[in-house]
Amino acid sequence: MPSRQQLANAIRALSMDAVQKAKSGHPGAPMGMADIAEVLWRDHLKHNPTDPNWADRDRFILSNGHGSMLIYSLLHLSGYDLPMSELENFRQLHSKTPGHPEYGYTPGVETTTGPLGAGISNAVGMAIAEKTLAAQFNRDGHDIVDHFTYCFLGDGCLMEGISHEACSLAGTLGLGKLVAFWDDNGISIDGEVEGWFSDDTPARFASYGWHVIADVDGHNPEAINAAIEEAKSVTDKPSMICCKTIIGFGSPNKSGSHDCHGAPLGEEEIAAAREFLNWPHAPFEIPADIAADWNQSDKGTASQSSWNDKFSAYQAAHPELAAEYERRVIKGELPADFASKADAFIQECADKGESIASRKASQNAIEAFGKVLPELLGGSADLAGSNLTLWSGSKGIQDDAAGNYIFYGVREFGMSGIMNGISLHGGFINYGATFMMFMEYARNAVRMSALMGIQNIFVYTHDSIGQGEDGPTHQPIEQLTNLRTTPNMVTWRPADSVESAVAWKNAIERQNAPTSLVFSRQGLPHQTRSDEQIANIAKGGYILRDSVGTPEVILIATGSEVSLALAAADQLGDNVRVVSMPSTNIFDGQDANYKASVLPSSVTKRVAIEAAHTDFWYKYVGFNGKVVGMTTFGESAPGGDLMKHFGFTVENVVNTVNSL
């Protein structure tokens, strides 16, 4: 029977061989953490390689994602659909083994990691989702939601500020089923970290309210196992297991050094490592007895079968809850009547005709949709009163684990990373809010959401220089362009309550991409529309007011500037068409005939109006058109004064059109 050392050495051999064949990669972390991974994956991790998406599986996150060959080795050895040919194709085009683990590429990879600190924030989100789902669905004698989230992380993850944001909140929320493993090897790319990372990490995590297990020998299976057992027994706090390891363990001449962090070991050193580890096998060769001991397929199938029996008993005892669990968690479906109720609310907004700030219109939508969507889980980065994200049914999870609202505190980046984890876990549609300007703090996590193609609803209020007296530090200029040009991201900037309701409906129904909803601080006038125009809002851009006969001029506007475009059209005469384009991303996805019907190529006199950066709009107005927008930062003054100062006036729009 193979020893634990031999089982761990299988990871080391595969990792150094794949990196060497690719001529790039990071062998040090996989070789250093192999012993920890062997104990966790073979003795503790609840998973089923034959069904990687089993709802009650434990989640495993490799936050130090540069060590991707660690997770690829584990998945292959455990029996996932990741054949050896994929490991041999490491870091090559269209392989299932990209340079950093990517969600959707590789069965068993729970999230895309690479940006350091991202994984641990995702893990916090997954642990929040597990705890909240358990509180919402579990009943006496029926614990159908009962799994752990395990996360490996390195010094780099701990140096990144997002780890502070996320882990601080995790301690406050008492996430007892979150277990993190710190790979304390003292090495980063530049060398020994003591020159730039001398934090007392155990004390830091203890101050967060974590259960800390310090000074664990990361190469001693018995010590590792004891630490995991202790961590699992502490149910009211997340646990940090501090593992002292040697980076590149097994490499006689490069272990313990940054030389093995981010480069292949070289053929000569690999040969020496094989001798040191007593691994006399050819590259990518795993002996049959070691492969058999590693394979977890039968164990995983039995574990899932046992859970299926538990769920059957749950169905018999609580049939309505079981049906709701299947809808939300297993199938990920919306309630059957959601679309009809959402359409009724949109019509209600049209009938009411309220002139309100779009952030208030957003809150009204949350109020309406929250009543029919128990899976809606919201939050704000300490701006609930300004973002207007609370509704009458909001219950903070810090007081009631079965609640539906997260007070994230001033943690825009952490919030967005946590949201990614919640979405990846499943069972929720989550939204999180901050000021539009502070999307910049969260930018990397927002991009990761788009990269993974997962559903998140990012609510951004205070969308322009209309923010006013707070000045240019709080006034977004280039952020809308940033969001609109991010692949997979869908961005909306509604003009009134009706467009806001349509935007919310679209975001809730969009399961394969994140949505950014951008709302105003100031009040916006209601726009009257026909039924056809209301229907066309969902196409991203539509004719809000048409010319008499063929248009000679087209004004394109979004958000607060739509009313300005209409006022300018009143002065310009009957030959002007006004197009409201709340979502350029959605409009761009329409068929050519529809786009041409809204923006006919024969009309070259076009002006776009938006209190944001001008450059984005030239794709719609062309070389002959002009843009009334921003080319500088804002100023500190009342919002109305700023709009006049920067040219968002009827007079300036009219003059701009006449100058064409």
Side-chain angles (χ1 to χ4, degrees):
M1 182 176 180
S3 67
R4 283 197 180 275
Q5 184 75 57
Q6 290 173 306
L7 293 164
N9 286 346
I11 298 171
R12 295 185 171 101
L14 289 174
S15 297
M16 62 184 184
D17 288 342
V19 171
Q20 185 64 33
K21 187 172 188 295
K23 296 183 173 58
S24 72
H26 299 75
M31 296 175 74
M33 297 194 80
D35 298 301
I36 306 167
E38 185 272 327
V39 174
L40 175 64
W41 276 62
R42 293 185 65 255
D43 291 356
H44 295 277
L45 193 69
K46 181 177 69 171
H47 63 126
N48 184 4
T50 65
D51 185 3
N53 297 317
W54 168 33
D56 201 46
R57 69 192 181 278
D58 290 340
R59 270 59 169 183
F60 174 79
I61 308 301
L62 185 69
S63 190
N64 45 344
H66 54 273
S68 56
M69 269 310 303
L70 175 61
I71 194 168
Y72 298 149
S73 299
L74 289 164
L75 292 169
H76 169 77
L77 291 166
S78 297
Y80 285 79
D81 184 18
L82 193 67
M84 187 67 80
S85 59
E86 291 290 350
L87 274 63
E88 295 181 76
N89 207 27
F90 178 54
R91 286 184 163 230
Q92 305 309 302
L93 185 64
H94 302 314
S95 76
K96 292 183 180 180
T97 51
H100 291 81
E102 292 192 39
Y103 174 75
Y105 275 64
T106 317
V109 169
E110 301 281 3
T111 182
T112 299
T113 55
L116 293 176
I120 183 61
S121 68
N122 297 165
V124 172
M126 292 178 185
I128 288 174
E130 192 277 340
K131 183 175 181 178
T132 304
L133 270 183
Q136 291 180 355
F137 284 101
N138 288 352
R139 295 297 182 267
D140 288 344
H142 298 280
D143 291 338
I144 60 161
V145 181
D146 184 15
H147 52 267
F148 284 85
T149 300
Y150 297 104
C151 182
F152 282 7
L153 68 161
D155 293 316
C157 294
L158 293 173
M159 284 185 257
E160 290 286 0
I162 192 173
S163 69
H164 163 71
E165 294 184 27
C167 294
S168 168
L169 184 60
T172 299
L173 295 177
L175 303 179
K177 289 187 176 176
L178 172 61
V179 180
F181 298 77
W182 171 32
D183 181 26
D184 180 15
N185 60 38
I187 298 293
S188 66
I189 292 176
D190 283 350
E192 297 181 6
V193 301
E194 61 184 14
W196 48 87
F197 182 54
S198 57
D199 303 17
D200 186 341
T201 296
R204 169 185 163 187
F205 275 80
S207 75
Y208 292 156
W210 285 53
H211 174 68
V212 178
I213 306 171
D215 299 320
V216 175
D217 182 349
H219 301 296
N220 182 328
E222 289 73 24
I224 297 164
N225 185 67
I228 297 173
E229 292 285 7
E230 180 182 335
K232 290 166 67 175
S233 72
V234 177
T235 58
D236 61 342
K237 297 179 180 181
S239 292
M240 169 62 82
I241 302 176
C242 305
C243 301
K244 290 296 295 183
T245 65
I246 300 172
I247 190 171
F249 183 93
S251 170
N253 302 303
K254 295 186 177 183
S255 64
S257 151
H258 71 281
D259 291 339
C260 65
H261 174 92
L265 296 179
E267 298 289 357
E268 184 176 333
E269 185 64 12
I270 286 177
R274 276 185 152 75
E275 183 175 352
F276 178 86
L277 296 171
N278 191 24
W279 188 266
H281 314 292
F284 300 103
E285 179 184 322
I286 303 296
D289 57 341
I290 291 177
D293 260 29
W294 255 114
N295 193 287
Q296 303 286 298
S297 296
D298 290 345
K299 180 181 177 182
T301 300
S303 185
Q304 185 169 351
S305 178
S306 176
W307 182 85
N308 289 341
D309 292 340
K310 288 172 62 177
F311 189 72
S312 294
Y314 180 73
Q315 285 177 306
H318 304 283
E320 292 184 1
L321 274 175
E324 185 71 354
Y325 179 89
E326 284 190 289
R327 178 187 72 79
R328 283 176 52 181
V329 182
I330 296 177
K331 297 178 181 178
E333 297 175 345
L334 290 170
D337 60 352
F338 172 75
S340 61
K341 288 185 175 179
D343 288 340
F345 173 70
I346 292 167
Q347 186 60 51
E348 179 185 330
C349 292
D351 294 340
K352 279 186 177 180
E354 291 183 299
S355 293
I356 54 178
S358 57
R359 61 171 174 160
K360 178 59 180 175
S362 169
Q363 186 181 44
N364 292 345
I366 296 170
E367 179 75 29
F369 297 151
K371 293 174 180 176
V372 297
L373 292 173
E375 59 264 51
L376 203 61
L377 179 64
S380 172
D382 202 51
L383 288 168
S386 293
N387 299 147
L388 302 185
T389 47
L390 289 166
W391 62 287
S392 63
S394 293
K395 296 179 182 177
I397 65 169
Q398 80 282 0
D399 298 320
D400 181 356
N404 59 6
Y405 195 85
I406 303 171
F407 291 91
Y408 282 103
V410 188
R411 299 181 176 97
E412 297 89 353
F413 193 6
M415 173 184 73
S416 303
I418 289 168
M419 288 171 64
N420 287 344
I422 292 171
S423 293
L424 289 161
H425 181 280
F428 295 99
I429 297 172
N430 75 133
Y431 65 91
T434 186
F435 286 174
M436 175 66 170
M437 188 64 243
F438 302 137
M439 180 276 292
E440 293 290 356
Y441 281 135
R443 174 62 188 156
N444 187 268
V446 173
R447 182 178 186 271
M448 294 299 288
S449 180
L451 180 64
M452 290 187 278
I454 58 176
Q455 183 177 32
N456 276 317
I457 302 175
F458 298 108
V459 176
Y460 298 125
T461 68
H462 299 62
D463 65 347
S464 71
I465 56 172
Q467 163 72 348
E469 294 88 342
D470 281 342
T473 61
H474 284 54
Q475 294 165 0
I477 301 297
E478 72 277 21
Q479 286 66 38
L480 274 167
T481 296
N482 189 319
L483 289 169
R484 287 168 174 156
T485 56
T486 299
N488 295 338
M489 176 63 72
V490 174
T491 302
W492 289 81
R493 186 176 184 241
D496 65 1
S497 62
V498 180
E499 288 190 0
S500 297
V502 173
W504 262 104
K505 181 192 177 193
N506 184 275
I508 289 168
E509 292 179 336
R510 187 169 299 277
Q511 295 185 317
N512 63 348
T515 301
S516 293
L517 301 179
V518 182
F519 298 116
S520 72
R521 174 198 189 189
Q522 70 273 29
L524 305 179
H526 170 73
Q527 307 299 339
T528 302
R529 302 173 181 83
S530 67
D531 290 344
E532 182 181 4
Q533 286 173 318
I534 292 174
N536 283 340
I537 295 171
K539 296 180 180 179
Y542 65 101
I543 301 168
L544 180 58
R545 181 189 297 177
D546 210 356
S547 59
V548 176
T550 303
E552 296 179 14
V553 177
I554 297 177
L555 302 181
I556 310 169
T558 78
S560 53
E561 287 70 69
V562 168
S563 60
L564 173 59
L566 291 167
D570 287 340
Q571 291 200 15
L572 287 164
D574 293 339
N575 63 345
V576 178
R577 170 179 290 181
V578 176
V579 171
S580 177
M581 196 175 288
S583 178
T584 61
N585 305 108
I586 297 293
F587 180 76
D588 288 348
Q590 302 305 310
D591 63 66
N593 288 336
Y594 178 77
K595 288 187 287 187
S597 73
V598 176
L599 300 176
S601 59
S602 58
V603 183
T604 59
K605 289 186 176 182
R606 302 181 185 183
V607 173
I609 312 162
E610 185 176 62
H613 203 283
T614 59
D615 284 3
F616 174 81
W617 285 100
Y618 287 101
K619 65 185 284 190
Y620 299 102
V621 301
F623 293 115
N624 294 317
K626 291 191 176 182
V627 181
V628 176
M630 298 294 295
T631 57
T632 67
F633 294 116
E635 297 281 353
S636 178
D641 293 348
L642 291 175
M643 288 295 184
K644 293 176 184 177
H645 175 74
F646 286 105
F648 296 97
T649 64
V650 171
E651 180 183 13
N652 186 45
V653 174
V654 170
N655 289 339
T656 301
V657 171
N658 289 334
S659 72
L660 292 176

